[in-house]
Amino acid sequence: MSIGETAMARCAAWRHPPFSETPQGLTRRYLTPAHRAALDQLAGWMRAAGMSVRLDAAGTLIGRYEGTGSKTVLIGSHIDTVGDAGAYDGALGVMLGLGCIEALAASGERLPFAIELLAFGDEEGSRFHASMLGSRALAGTLPAILPEMVDTEGVSLAEALHGFGLDVARLPEAARAREDVLLYLEPHIEQGPVLEAEKLPVGIVTGIAAQTRLKITVRGVANHAGTTPMNLRRDALVATAEAMLALERIATVAGIVGTVGTIEAHPGLSNVVPGRAVFSVDLRAPTEEARDTAEQDFARTLDEIAARRGVVVEMQVVQRLAPCFCDARAQALLAEAMAAQSVRPFYLPSGSGHDAMSVAALCKVAMLFIRCRAGISHNPAEHVEAADAETAAQVMLGFLRRLGEKEAAAF
């Protein structure tokens, strides 16, 4: 099989237990038995390709293929998923990186730099809400709130790491030295419809949108649903509904995107006016200024809603990520590699977050997008053609060889 076909087959095999927490639908969250099963199999593939393998303090699996020089090129993506996920988001990038290294090893080819394949365990934030813990640990930019984070079952991050044989106090040890790293390359499905519209298998990412995640807690008064008049209620959930519509309006006017992805209502009974509600907010924009302005508008609106409805609103910043701009030289090398595969070089920004935006604090980054059918992702209907995956693999190999031939010193 080709590199692309092999990568696709490996992703497909990971749809099911033990690589998924559920037999129906793919779910593989950070630091779960399904995550462990995926790491164990991937480590075996890495060793078979001649790589040395280690697990860092944040649970990122790292396979190293030695080169002839002292610097290191990182290739990677994530292997965790959202709930009821598609098979290719994140995992395909890791499998393509593995396939490229396997091809180099099979021919005995060594480049003027080592290559490290990274399988990050928490890009989605589907377990602890804050995302990209693995890549932020690598870059040395982890937030201070880590010990306080718990999942929906009440398991803390420290407990989950301990169950994985890791220690939360040692997370800083995952940070890499800047002088050792040349570049990070992340292949990833587009998760959008642009490449399909352009009739192109791959595209060059120019940058990644700025992102902020918020946790909003609304406190009202729980009371009897039958005896509390409508005009005397301090309903936390109704205030939340108004806040959601306000977020939609603010984001639309600003030309950015804002999403409420989770809501909890307490006490959660059909005959009780909700006294407390908790919801998430995800804001993304091309620039920090646009994102921050929308966040400030939303905060003011929350204050107005709280005053009018007699509730108290608390806003906690879970994470705030700067926009990421991909390296211009790397984009040029990707364009050359695409042209060599008779693919028209095409440039596009990313509205979705990726580990590359965290790794950008460590080194220069590049991203290669791969076409996905109808732009559907975070969905079991996520689909990639094997031919597109193979084109991506050949572009990656061309990029690495060009980097080795003429551009490594410039980075």
Side-chain angles (χ1 to χ4, degrees):
M1 290 196 293
S2 68
I3 297 173
E5 289 170 334
T6 300
M8 294 284 290
R10 285 169 166 166
C11 289
W14 277 13
R15 290 179 187 266
H16 312 291
F19 311 109
S20 171
E21 298 172 49
T22 55
Q24 302 298 324
L26 169 59
T27 300
R28 184 168 52 250
R29 296 174 302 157
Y30 182 46
L31 303 177
T32 60
H35 180 201
R36 171 64 75 184
L39 289 178
D40 289 346
Q41 185 170 80
L42 182 58
W45 288 330
M46 287 175 168
R47 292 189 182 97
M51 287 182 264
S52 58
V53 180
R54 66 185 180 90
L55 191 69
D56 79 4
T60 299
L61 187 66
I62 303 173
R64 182 177 177 88
Y65 181 75
E66 295 293 347
T68 59
S70 60
K71 296 285 188 177
T72 302
V73 168
L74 309 176
I75 300 176
S77 195
H78 61 98
I79 61 172
D80 66 315
T81 76
V82 297
D84 198 23
Y88 307 108
D89 175 11
L92 181 60
V94 175
M95 300 307 184
L96 287 172
L98 173 63
C100 288
I101 294 171
E102 287 174 330
L104 294 172
S107 62
E109 186 175 356
R110 300 282 175 175
L111 297 173
F113 42 77
I115 302 173
E116 289 189 358
L117 179 63
L118 310 178
F120 295 115
D122 183 52
E123 189 262 4
E124 298 290 4
S126 55
R127 184 171 184 186
F128 294 101
H129 189 52
S131 64
M132 305 182 200
L133 295 178
S135 50
R136 285 194 283 173
L138 188 86
T141 59
L142 282 173
I145 64 168
L146 284 178
E148 306 167 16
M149 294 195 303
V150 296
D151 66 13
T152 55
E153 285 80 39
V155 178
S156 71
L157 176 61
E159 291 168 333
L161 285 166
H162 180 74
F164 226 66
L166 302 170
D167 183 354
V168 70
R170 302 187 68 174
L171 280 174
E173 296 177 13
R176 295 293 294 271
R178 292 172 182 267
E179 59 269 19
D180 296 338
V181 181
L182 189 64
L183 176 82
Y184 171 73
L185 171 64
E186 181 166 2
H188 202 284
I189 62 170
E190 181 196 353
Q191 300 178 285
V194 176
L195 290 177
E196 187 173 65
E198 293 288 331
K199 296 181 172 55
L200 290 171
V202 292
I204 302 164
V205 179
T206 56
I208 305 170
Q211 180 186 144
T212 292
R213 286 191 181 186
L214 307 171
K215 177 183 178 181
I216 313 296
T217 302
V218 182
R219 302 183 189 278
V221 175
N223 215 330
H224 197 292
T227 61
T228 310
M230 298 301 290
N231 65 324
L232 298 180
R233 295 185 177 200
R234 293 164 63 186
D235 189 323
L237 190 57
V238 172
T240 294
E242 185 174 348
M244 290 172 62
L245 291 173
L247 178 69
E248 180 185 48
R249 182 181 67 254
I250 289 167
T252 301
V253 171
I256 66 170
V257 291
T259 304
V260 173
T262 65
I263 305 175
E264 303 170 12
H266 303 271
L269 301 171
S270 62
N271 60 347
V272 179
V273 176
R276 181 167 65 94
V278 181
F279 64 100
S280 65
V281 170
D282 184 309
L283 283 170
R284 306 190 193 204
T287 66
E288 287 182 285
E289 181 182 10
R291 178 203 61 190
D292 293 347
T293 298
E295 182 183 336
Q296 292 159 13
D297 289 347
F298 183 59
R300 283 192 293 269
T301 303
L302 286 178
D303 289 341
E304 294 168 3
I305 293 170
R308 183 167 16 90
R309 292 191 171 275
V311 299
V312 176
V313 178
E314 301 168 5
M315 186 168 77
Q316 176 188 2
V317 177
V318 176
Q319 69 179 23
R320 185 173 282 123
L321 300 174
C324 165
F325 301 100
C326 295
D327 183 75
R329 286 197 185 97
Q331 290 183 54
L333 290 183
L334 284 170
E336 289 181 18
M338 287 173 64
Q341 297 298 316
S342 301
V343 176
R344 170 171 60 92
F346 181 78
Y347 301 84
L348 72 166
S350 173
S352 54
H354 301 285
D355 286 303
M357 65 194 306
S358 296
V359 182
L362 172 70
C363 63
K364 299 178 188 299
V365 300
M367 281 197 73
L368 181 70
F369 267 172
I370 304 154
R371 173 170 53 189
C372 57
R373 187 169 63 194
I376 294 172
S377 184
H378 286 186
N379 185 311
E382 192 175 87
H383 179 80
V384 177
E385 293 293 335
D388 290 354
E390 176 61 15
T391 297
Q394 295 306 319
V395 169
M396 290 167 63
L397 283 170
F399 170 84
L400 291 169
R401 287 167 175 146
R402 283 170 172 78
L403 182 62
E405 288 169 2
K406 60 182 181 180
E407 291 290 341
F411 283 82

